């Protein structure tokens, strides 16, 4: 069951509680408050890149994130670099809108990434 899309105000308020996370639209970073309007455009997504001490550490974070995604039954676009991990999050079943599920996943990832020493 898809979550309900959040309003722009709700997105801005929740984004303020997630340091390091940004809104992206069509692959471009945007600031909170510049997301799409009812008039069209690409739906914003939550994005964050973490830097870790090594490739092995980055890989461990990916595995841990995958576990959390399975528990929440909500999955992100997840990219592993040499010592980086990037997540891009939106709710596909809600037409790509941002929902409570996206912020729940982002919050859970913040906690586990800090436990891995991610910056």
């Amino acid at each position: 069951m898809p979550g309900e899309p959040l309003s722009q105000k709700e997105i801005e308020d929740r984004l303020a509680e997630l340091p390091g996370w940004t809104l992206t639209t069509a692959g471009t970073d945007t600031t909170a408050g510049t997301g799409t309007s009812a008039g069209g455009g690409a739906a914003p997504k939550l994005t964050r890149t973490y830097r870790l001490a090594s490739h092995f550490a980055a890989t461990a974070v990916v595995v841990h994130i995958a576990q959390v995604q399975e528990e929440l039954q909500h999955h992100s676009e997840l990219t592993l670099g040499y010592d980086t991990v990037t997540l891009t999050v939106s709710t596909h079943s809600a037409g790509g809108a941002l929902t409570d599920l996206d912020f729940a996943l982002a919050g859970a990832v913040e906690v586990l990434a800090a436990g891995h020493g991610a910056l």
Side-chain angles (χ1 to χ4, degrees):
M1 180 168 95
E4 290 295 316
L6 298 174
S7 71
Q8 187 63 35
K9 173 76 169 115
E10 290 171 314
I11 292 168
E12 291 170 11
D13 290 347
R14 292 181 189 200
L15 186 62
E17 298 172 6
L18 291 170
W21 287 82
T22 60
L23 292 180
T24 57
T25 306
T28 304
D29 285 348
T30 61
T31 58
T34 60
T36 56
S37 66
K45 297 180 180 191
L46 285 175
T47 302
R48 172 97 150 94
T49 297
Y50 295 96
R51 183 165 304 280
L52 291 108
S54 67
H55 182 65
F56 185 80
T59 303
V61 168
V62 168
V63 171
H64 202 165
I65 290 170
Q67 289 174 323
V68 169
Q69 291 180 139
E70 284 297 307
E71 290 168 9
L72 292 175
Q73 296 182 0
H74 189 58
H75 303 85
S76 67
E77 295 174 25
L78 188 57
T79 304
L80 172 64
Y82 171 72
D83 62 353
T84 60
V85 175
T86 301
L87 285 88
T88 303
V89 185
S90 65
T91 302
H92 300 286
S93 59
L98 292 174
T99 68
D100 286 329
L101 285 171
D102 302 309
F103 285 92
L105 177 58
V109 169
E110 274 298 296
V111 171
L112 76 88
H116 283 271
L119 302 174

